[in-house]
Amino acid sequence: MKAGMFLRKVKSRTWKRQRHYKLQEDCKTIAYKSISISDVEAVRAGHQSEALLSVADEFPADRCFTLVFRGRRGNLDLVAESTKEAQAWIQGIGALMENMENMDESTKLDQWISDWFSKADLNKDGRINFKEAKKLLKMMNVDMNEEHASSLFKMADKSKSETLEDQEFVEFYKMLTERAEVLDLFQDYSSDGQSLSQCDLEEFLREEQLEGEGSYEHALQLIDRYEPSDTARMNHMMSVDGFLMYLTSPEGSIFNPERQDLFQDMSQPLAHYYISSSHNTYLMEDQLKGPSSVEAYIQALKRGCRCVEVDCWNGSNGEPVVYHGHTLTSKILLKDVITTIANYAFKASEYPLIVSIENHCSIEQQEVMARYFRDILGDMLLTNTADSSELPSPEALKRKILLKGKKFENESENPTGEVSDEDEAAEMNKDSPVTESPPTNGKVPKLQQNLCKELSDLIFCKSVHFHSFEHSRTSAKPNEMSSFSESKARKYSKEAGSDFVLHNTRQLTRVYPSGMRTDSSNYCPVDMWNMGCQIVALNFQTAGMEMDLNDGLFSRFYCGQQLPKVKQKAWFIVDPLVRVEIFGVPLDQAKQETKHIDNNGFNPLWNETLQFTIHTPELALVRFVVEDYDKASRNDFIGQYTIPFTSIQPGYRHVHLLSKDGTSIHPSSIYVHIKITEQ
């Protein structure tokens, strides 16, 4: 890799270009448009993208691989000249990624400092002068008095060369990042003002972090884990550097690590759980002309999605395709979608995956659909509907895929094979007023569609038209599911909220975005969750508050540090403020914000108290938002973090910020003191 080699970059069947790729000496960057290893999320071997699938007949799978990047950057599809060369790159990049993943917090911070040093070292001579240091401060969001900056620079310049080398730069950085508020807290509990003994740290854990029994032993564990000095560790002491390392670690995070692993009872019926759900999962962008891609399924499943959608239409050569019907969105093969689902269904979770099928295919292509689902999913596919008064539990359905769609019970009941068209498209087309009572003959005049028995037999969750809550209470079977547009769900929640909640204790309910949201925007899911709707489908490809809340539910102010820029101009520095938003039942919904801090995105200090009263903590989500204040226009988004209220750790904590699309922007965080009292 360090010698470099030519790889073929593939964008489509007709666009294939040779490019020279070479691993730099730092083993952190690949030359050719400067690919940073830290930006690579995964390396996929074989034909695992539309571009590589399109050239599968030309290039064998063992020569192909895909680099998947964090955030919204597009993937890079590559073809090596030989299997050996492909394996060298796949294994080599994988090993470099693993090394970065296994770095401790101190090493990660050193890595981050080193990256800044490289950016500041404009002439690449391994040194930075004061002029370069000033530019660095601007890049790091620091507006510092030049005289003070010069003073720090001279203090760090031990060689008196009027430049800083790598280690001198580290010292310069440490002086820049000295955290007065952390030092004050440290000295409040330090017996000698220089370090924390095991007893000192235990007192801090009990008094501030509200830890109970075992805090003395935990103090020693923290010293062993985070104290950088060997001498201090041997003496069971923690320095201020170790204390800061602890506070910025996952253990010092606002998120309670006990909630990281499964802590809920997973043995209740499936209808008793919220299910992370994607709408029109195949779409990468808008609903009218954007691309469809198996990558969209991969990203949704890796994000923890447990209900994906597949819209099936007749394709050429007898091959069913997936796309948003009657639009200009691109088409992908159903068999590729099912193969992707089979490969990624249980990467993020072993709990059941629901595949919601919109079936617009002919009988002949439905038979092909049934064969693909059966053959590709194999034993993962659950087809037998339990004859029970309630659905099985997530625990009982582990590593099972459940198909949701149209179904008839047996041919004697439906000899023509016709079923009513109960899917989302029909709902959006008719947009008829809701009735609370079913017709007297029990039938609703609707479009009819033929359904083949082979596909019907594979359906576990049966899509049914919703007549009324009374009809559902007396007649619905556990495996029957109705879908509601967001507007219809809101109508029911306002007009018959109690009945809606009771309905959702027995039946699965799916809510989907309005057909007017052609830009793939999202509605706020909280109101639907408050009604007990389990499958609240969102457009996963669209970043924003709605997906922040979804990620917060299904996860997982004092001062801030190293906040990222929002405008890529060397002279621009942010004026950050923090807003805390509470989402939940109407009585709990609230928001408050701090004042903004002028020209300081590096270590702003707000030192303000925001207070909220929460009546239903089980349904409350807390969202921290950092914005760049602008008095003339709308504030710019900097970062956010959303967390269930019940997963918050009290005490002095760091809130590690995420970008708009949910990826980490390490080391950006805000430092908060959380106090929770029960009234």
Side-chain angles (χ1 to χ4, degrees):
M1 291 174 69
K2 284 187 174 179
M5 64 181 70
F6 283 96
L7 300 171
R8 189 174 275 105
K9 180 179 179 180
V10 180
K11 289 187 177 180
S12 67
R13 187 171 182 82
T14 56
W15 198 103
K16 296 160 284 189
R17 303 285 189 274
Q18 289 273 17
R19 297 287 186 266
H20 191 262
Y21 295 86
K22 179 182 178 181
L23 180 67
Q24 302 289 65
E25 289 300 318
D26 61 7
C27 291
K28 298 183 295 186
T29 311
I30 297 171
Y32 181 71
K33 294 195 174 177
S34 189
I35 299 169
S36 173
I37 298 294
S38 62
D39 290 337
V40 180
E41 184 181 274
V43 186
R44 299 187 195 136
H47 301 139
Q48 295 204 54
S49 71
E50 273 76 35
L52 292 178
L53 283 167
S54 73
V55 296
D57 57 345
E58 186 177 355
F59 303 111
D62 58 11
R63 287 172 51 195
C64 300
F65 61 98
T66 300
L67 298 188
V68 182
F69 297 99
R70 303 180 193 279
R72 306 186 78 78
R73 180 177 175 180
N75 296 346
L76 177 61
D77 296 309
L78 299 169
V79 180
E81 290 300 311
S82 67
T83 302
K84 184 177 179 181
E85 288 183 358
Q87 284 302 308
W89 281 91
I90 293 168
Q91 293 174 8
I93 294 174
L96 292 171
M97 290 170 59
E98 187 176 358
N99 288 343
M100 288 197 169
E101 289 282 325
N102 293 334
M103 285 180 184
D104 58 29
E105 293 300 313
S106 177
T107 310
K108 283 182 182 176
L109 188 59
D110 288 347
Q111 178 76 53
W112 188 76
I113 297 172
S114 177
D115 289 344
W116 277 115
F117 182 84
S118 297
K119 290 176 184 177
D121 183 15
L122 300 179
N123 58 9
K124 304 303 177 188
D125 63 353
R127 298 170 175 270
I128 61 170
N129 57 34
F130 184 60
K131 182 179 179 181
E132 291 171 322
K134 285 196 296 183
K135 284 199 170 184
L136 169 65
L137 295 181
K138 292 286 187 183
M139 289 193 293
M140 296 176 86
N141 253 334
V142 180
D143 186 19
M144 185 175 286
N145 176 277
E146 184 166 329
E147 185 178 342
H148 180 52
S150 175
S151 173
L152 292 179
F153 187 91
K154 289 174 181 176
M155 289 171 63
D157 180 18
K158 299 291 194 296
S159 61
K160 305 301 179 186
S161 62
E162 297 187 352
T163 60
L164 300 182
E165 297 178 0
D166 195 6
Q167 284 306 306
E168 291 174 328
F169 177 71
V170 170
E171 291 303 313
F172 179 60
Y173 171 83
K174 285 187 175 180
M175 286 186 274
L176 276 174
T177 58
E178 188 173 273
R179 304 270 300 278
E181 70 286 344
V182 173
L183 186 59
D184 289 345
L185 182 63
F186 176 85
Q187 291 180 337
D188 283 346
Y189 284 90
S190 172
S191 299
D192 61 5
Q194 300 297 315
S195 62
L196 294 176
S197 67
Q198 186 177 353
C199 290
D200 292 339
L201 185 54
E202 181 209 13
E203 184 183 5
F204 169 77
L205 295 176
R206 281 192 293 101
E207 295 293 324
E208 301 292 354
Q209 311 298 68
L210 300 187
E211 293 190 13
E213 293 182 9
S215 55
Y216 185 73
E217 293 77 9
H218 189 212
L220 183 58
Q221 292 170 0
L222 295 178
I223 291 170
D224 288 341
R225 196 169 297 144
Y226 299 112
E227 176 50 49
S229 165
D230 293 338
T231 304
R233 275 201 314 275
M234 288 175 60
N235 292 309
H236 297 177
M237 309 288 279
M238 179 176 273
S239 65
V240 69
D241 288 340
F243 187 59
L244 182 57
M245 293 288 291
Y246 154 62
L247 288 176
T248 56
S249 75
E251 287 183 271
S253 163
I254 190 174
F255 187 87
N256 187 340
E258 293 179 1
R259 299 296 181 105
Q260 190 71 50
D261 298 320
L262 188 68
F263 62 94
Q264 299 100 333
D265 174 14
M266 303 303 286
S267 62
Q268 302 296 314
L270 189 60
H272 292 190
Y273 298 86
Y274 293 124
I275 299 170
S276 180
S277 307
S278 164
H279 171 250
N280 288 356
T281 313
Y282 47 89
L283 293 178
M284 297 288 285
E285 296 173 8
D286 64 73
Q287 306 281 312
L288 297 179
K289 53 183 172 43
S292 303
S293 173
V294 296
E295 183 63 32
Y297 286 93
I298 295 172
Q299 293 302 325
L301 291 169
K302 286 174 62 179
R303 206 165 175 172
C305 182
R306 294 291 83 198
C307 180
V308 297
E309 189 172 358
V310 182
D311 290 3
C312 303
W313 297 79
N314 288 335
S316 57
N317 302 317
E319 287 284 350
V321 295
V322 174
Y323 85 115
H324 200 199
H326 309 301
T327 70
L328 298 177
T329 56
S330 63
K331 301 174 182 179
I332 52 178
L333 294 177
L334 174 65
K335 64 181 178 183
D336 291 340
V337 170
I338 300 175
T339 299
T340 300
I341 290 172
N343 290 337
Y344 288 89
F346 303 110
K347 295 280 188 185
S349 170
E350 289 194 321
Y351 287 103
L353 174 70
I354 298 173
V355 177
S356 180
I357 302 170
E358 269 196 22
N359 173 16
H360 305 275
C361 290
S362 64
I363 287 290
E364 293 74 21
Q365 295 210 11
Q366 286 181 48
E367 291 170 351
V368 177
M369 287 172 60
R371 185 172 77 250
Y372 285 153
F373 279 118
R374 194 171 50 242
D375 293 350
I376 297 172
L377 299 182
D379 292 340
M380 290 185 288
L381 185 62
L382 182 67
T383 57
N384 58 317
T385 306
D387 188 14
S388 169
S389 60
E390 57 188 18
L391 286 168
S393 69
E395 190 66 32
L397 295 171
K398 267 187 173 180
R399 298 193 68 83
K400 289 296 181 183
I401 295 176
L402 287 53
L403 300 187
K404 172 220 167 238
K406 301 159 191 170
K407 180 183 180 71
F408 48 80
E409 298 305 323
N410 56 60
E411 287 187 281
S412 63
E413 289 182 16
N414 198 334
T416 65
E418 288 187 342
V419 291
S420 56
D421 191 0
E422 301 292 354
D423 62 28
E424 178 183 319
E427 184 70 45
M428 286 160 57
N429 287 335
K430 67 183 180 64
D431 196 28
S432 60
V434 180
T435 62
E436 267 298 309
S437 57
T440 54
N441 63 0
K443 296 181 183 291
V444 177
K446 294 179 70 68
L447 297 172
Q448 297 293 309
Q449 180 195 15
N450 288 328
L451 177 66
C452 82
K453 184 177 186 300
E454 291 84 354
L455 184 58
S456 174
D457 288 346
L458 300 181
I459 300 298
F460 183 88
C461 296
K462 181 181 179 182
S463 298
V464 297
H465 175 73
F466 179 77
H467 298 299
S468 71
F469 291 120
E470 176 62 22
H471 181 264
S472 169
R473 186 182 66 79
T474 58
S475 306
K477 296 179 180 179
N479 69 312
E480 292 179 344
M481 183 195 307
S482 298
S483 293
F484 301 90
S485 67
E486 58 176 285
S487 58
K488 187 171 285 188
R490 283 198 191 94
K491 177 180 173 67
Y492 280 130
S493 67
K494 290 176 182 176
E495 297 179 357
S498 298
D499 291 335
F500 203 179
V501 171
L502 190 60
H503 170 85
N504 290 330
T505 63
R506 302 184 307 269
Q507 308 295 139
L508 287 173
T509 293
R510 175 175 171 269
V511 181
Y512 56 86
S514 162
M516 302 300 290
R517 295 184 181 275
T518 56
D519 59 351
S520 294
S521 61
N522 281 312
Y523 55 97
C524 182
V526 173
D527 294 340
M528 311 307 172
W529 290 331
N530 288 344
M531 286 292 105
C533 299
Q534 304 90 340
I535 301 177
V536 180
L538 298 177
N539 293 304
F540 269 47
Q541 71 272 34
T542 304
M545 177 266 290
E546 298 83 6
M547 276 306 300
D548 294 344
L549 295 172
N550 195 79
D551 289 341
L553 179 66
F554 294 105
S555 52
R556 350 161 223 359
F557 305 103
Y558 202 63
C559 68
Q561 59 173 344
Q562 291 106 40
L563 301 179
K565 279 179 176 279
V566 292
K567 295 183 175 69
Q568 295 303 316
K569 295 179 181 176
W571 51 265
F572 184 86
I573 296 174
V574 301
D575 306 322
L577 62 82
V578 176
R579 185 170 63 254
V580 180
E581 303 170 339
I582 309 295
F583 294 87
V585 299
L587 190 60
D588 289 345
Q589 297 198 20
K591 62 178 70 173
Q592 296 181 39
E593 65 183 40
T594 67
K595 63 181 183 296
H596 69 276
I597 306 296
D598 289 330
N599 292 332
N600 190 344
F602 193 74
N603 56 355
L605 180 66
W606 291 282
N607 203 15
E608 293 186 45
T609 298
L610 306 181
Q611 186 169 329
F612 300 89
T613 300
I614 297 177
H615 301 84
T616 312
E618 298 84 1
L619 293 178
L621 291 165
V622 182
R623 183 173 184 249
F624 297 86
V625 186
V626 183
E627 292 181 341
D628 174 29
Y629 173 76
D630 191 327
K631 67 179 179 181
S633 62
R634 187 175 180 178
N635 293 348
D636 289 312
F637 175 90
I638 294 177
Q640 69 83 31
Y641 186 77
T642 306
I643 182 173
F645 177 80
T646 53
S647 294
I648 289 177
Q649 289 198 103
Y652 288 92
R653 304 292 176 185
H654 275 84
V655 180
H656 297 279
L657 297 175
L658 304 176
S659 66
K660 187 171 282 188
D661 56 18
T663 55
S664 172
I665 44 179
H666 179 83
S668 299
S669 64
I670 51 177
Y671 181 49
V672 298
H673 183 227
I674 302 286
K675 188 175 182 181
I676 301 172
T677 57
E678 294 188 14
Q679 297 178 346

